[in-house]
Amino acid sequence: MQKTVSSLIAPGLLLLIFVTSPAGMLTPEVLQLPVRPDGDTSTHHDRVPWCDPYGITILLMGEDPDGRFEANLHQASRLGSRWVQLMFPAFQANHASSTLPIRDHRSPSRRVVEQAVLMARAAGFKVALHPILLIQDPSDPHWRGQLVPVHRDQWFREYERWIVSWSQLATSCGANLFYVGSELSSMQMDQQPWQRIIRRIRSEFHGPITYSANWDAWTEIPFASELDALGVNAYLPLSESSDPRLEQLIQRFLPYRSQLLEWTKQTKVPLFFSEVGYPSHDRALETPWDQHRGTRVDMETQKSGYEAFIATFSGDQQIRGILFYALHEDGGQTDRGYTPAGKPAIETLRRYFRDRSENSDGLRSRP
């Protein structure tokens, strides 16, 4: 997602955002399909059954105070979520660096991540483990979708070593889903290194694996057929109006929905939303990737984004999961960040999970 580093990690550290193409500019006719070496775009033979994750993200930071994760886990439970996505950062120095990861106090230790997975599993959640790579230098005007390492082969070797080590932890802790990467848009077209990485991860982690693509670059994944599903981070801009009607927001989503459904139909690759979220400020629907763009706190705008998304996508059987973003800070009436805690949006999500649970239980109880 093209959001500031501070929206994920620490207030005051800002990345400049570069939006490459508005939603609705692509049509199903020009979608780039993942092609295997034999020219086949059908289901890859190594794929394992997809897990249909519906839940919410919890951020794990190295600087989190004691008890924060437990509080967020309790909040996820009260929401009625059955999945939690544990997302945590590592860093490289700048967009041209070929070495990673580097030491940073915002990166949680392996022990912290391990304990979080085990705690979530003990609480009855299914767990998606989602490591992400960020840029450390706050003066670098790039985000992780714009990496251009000086030594590209070295970058891939070091990335492979790093991400495979986390897949090993995912296995030892019993995680249910693992991400091989997230929003690395400028590195996505290197098909062979990603195929090698995926093969290595499959040798370590035997559950479903995925990749999380940015909202404007999800068709540009030549290794998509190697995944068990493709995740899309749905931070497309919806409206510049300060008070849009729900019908207008849904209309903005519909061309994007058509592209997604056509893509999964053609490729036979399952598709899900790996991140969906809105900050609680007055420009949240214009720049949903940035919690700092707004001029004032506006919790109703956050709620409107969730309502429009749910109204558009919740009934699609072709969409194979939704992970909302994200629990971390305490939230409340003065917070303009992403967390729905202490805001009207929390009831929107609680109602969504309740309705989904009731519908799923009803289907399971039928003869």
Side-chain angles (χ1 to χ4, degrees), residues 50-70:
W50 183 237
C51 52
D52 292 2
Y54 289 85
I56 194 161
T57 300
I58 298 178
L59 304 183
L60 287 175
M61 306 303 301
E63 57 195 2
D64 284 345
D66 291 343
R68 169 157 288 171
F69 177 72
E70 292 92 332

Side-chain angles (χ1 to χ4, degrees), residues 5 7-10 58-64 86-92 100-110 112-113 129-136 144 162 166 182 325 328:
V5 122
S7 67
L8 180 62
I9 42 184
I58 298 178
L59 304 183
L60 287 175
M61 306 303 301
E63 57 195 2
D64 284 345
L86 304 185
M87 183 182 291
F88 55 95
F91 293 84
Q92 64 180 60
L100 67 104
I102 59 175
R103 185 179 297 276
D104 192 289
H105 69 279
R106 296 163 293 183
S107 298
S109 68
R110 292 181 68 85
V112 166
V113 176
L129 198 63
H130 194 161
I132 64 171
L133 182 65
L134 301 177
I135 293 173
Q136 185 184 63
R144 71 181 185 272
W162 171 71
W166 285 113
S182 177
Y325 184 94
H328 184 233

Side-chain angles (χ1 to χ4, degrees), residues 35-82:
V35 180
R36 288 164 51 187
D38 58 5
D40 185 12
T41 60
S42 61
T43 302
H44 191 268
H45 65 90
D46 287 334
R47 209 179 284 160
V48 302
W50 183 237
C51 52
D52 292 2
Y54 289 85
I56 194 161
T57 300
I58 298 178
L59 304 183
L60 287 175
M61 306 303 301
E63 57 195 2
D64 284 345
D66 291 343
R68 169 157 288 171
F69 177 72
E70 292 92 332
N72 285 321
L73 199 63
H74 186 55
Q75 182 74 258
S77 180
R78 293 201 305 269
L79 271 177
S81 173
R82 295 180 177 177

